[in-house]
Amino acid sequence: MIRVSDETIDAPKALAAFERDMSDAGAIVSFTGQVRPQSASGEVSTLFLQAYSLMTESGIESALAEAQRRWPLSGVHILHRTGEMRAGETIVFVATASKHRRAAFEAADFLMDYLKTEAVFWKKETTPDGATWIEPRQGDYQDAARWQTEKVE
Amino acid sequence: MVKVIYFGRLSEVTGTDEEVLDIPEDVSTAGALRHWLDLRFEANGALLEPTVRIAINSKIGFDETSLNNASEIAFMPPVGGG
């Protein structure tokens, strides 16, 4: 299941529900991404996330299909915030379920790399210096490139 | 009439998130639209940067992509990061 919305994410509740749904899975991995209180330019008061509804969701759907093709997954749950958030709030929640842990770990890592580097989101950070739109760091691309060598042509 | 959306930092260059435009007939491709809008906003090339992608009706297009049947066009700066 994929949800992109400006509603608050309750990660513990989402994980509990996923564990209930996936009680036969054997292995569940979850990742929660939160707004960092500090950035390179100082204390972050708010983070604003903009999506392009259809493109954002269809992109995440393709990444999910790719994950399902690569790993034997019993289920995946992806929640992503948009709109304005404060430090400590959850931006993203990803949970994967599989029979064994390796597939669940790797699929969650793969999906997070997609969400960080390729998913259609734009971020604006507000610090004491003002508001700035954030664009990718080189490291983000390197994280995502890790998966390309394994791509089946 | 076509809806044009400027995402991320581009909304600061253009001064608007989105607008509805009457695009001249001779501006018939995505590339021509980039140039036309860049001049119109005096954007100094911000809309011409190769990293800025254009989506036509929610599908990524190229400079030669035709604007025939375009009802929504989006200018998309690089995504991700942070």
Side-chain angles (χ1 to χ4, degrees):
Chain A
M1 190 201 115
I2 297 169
R3 191 188 79 195
V4 176
S5 99
D6 55 9
E7 280 170 53
T8 308
I9 297 173
D10 185 339
K13 197 173 149 196
L15 179 58
F18 188 70
E19 286 178 349
R20 261 196 319 276
D21 292 348
M22 295 290 141
S23 55
D24 296 337
I28 287 174
V29 164
S30 81
F31 175 85
T32 304
Q34 300 178 316
V35 180
R36 271 187 278 269
Q38 293 286 331
S39 80
S41 43
E43 202 176 311
V44 176
S45 54
T46 58
L47 183 72
F48 175 79
L49 238 79
Q50 190 181 30
Y52 186 18
S53 51
L54 277 179
M55 286 195 73
T56 305
E57 278 173 38
S58 66
I60 299 173
E61 274 163 25
S62 311
L64 174 54
E66 177 65 16
Q68 282 165 332
R69 196 186 63 75
R70 290 183 184 214
W71 293 282
L73 301 171
S74 335
V76 175
H77 197 119
I78 299 173
L79 303 175
H80 209 296
R81 270 296 299 274
T82 53
E84 196 162 276
M85 285 158 266
R86 298 193 165 274
E89 277 191 69
T90 297
I91 306 180
V92 59
F93 171 84
V94 169
T96 54
S98 187
K99 210 166 180 177
H100 299 286
R101 72 181 183 283
R102 188 70 59 211
F105 272 121
E106 288 185 358
D109 196 13
F110 169 84
L111 287 166
M112 273 313 304
D113 280 342
Y114 172 82
L115 290 165
K116 277 293 280 193
T117 56
E118 289 174 64
V120 179
F121 290 107
W122 295 275
K123 285 182 191 165
K124 187 164 74 174
E125 202 175 71
T126 304
T127 65
D129 293 342
T132 332
W133 287 97
I134 308 294
E135 291 198 359
R137 293 174 299 123
Q138 202 49 42
D140 294 325
Y141 290 128
Q142 283 157 6
D143 285 341
R146 287 186 300 150
W147 304 101
Q148 275 160 22
T149 51
E150 296 162 28
K151 215 170 228 170
V152 178
E153 297 300 330
Chain B
M1 301 296 267
V2 178
K3 180 168 150 190
V4 184
I5 313 175
Y6 308 101
F7 281 107
R9 67 177 155 82
L10 294 177
S11 62
E12 284 166 14
V13 173
T14 61
T16 181
D17 289 347
E18 58 177 72
E19 57 183 344
V20 175
L21 279 179
D22 221 344
I23 298 172
E25 244 171 67
D26 59 329
V27 178
S28 60
T29 62
L33 182 67
R34 274 182 197 264
H35 282 90
W36 184 66
L37 288 174
D38 199 76
L39 280 174
R40 182 170 161 266
F41 287 114
E42 297 176 356
N44 288 321
L47 297 176
L48 305 179
E49 287 167 26
T51 55
V52 170
R53 294 182 296 169
I54 299 186
I56 296 144
N57 300 340
S58 294
K59 270 182 87 174
I60 294 292
F62 300 95
D63 280 353
E64 56 275 21
T65 305
S66 160
L67 300 183
N68 269 348
N69 306 317
S71 55
E72 187 175 283
I73 299 171
F75 282 80
M76 305 167 58
V79 296

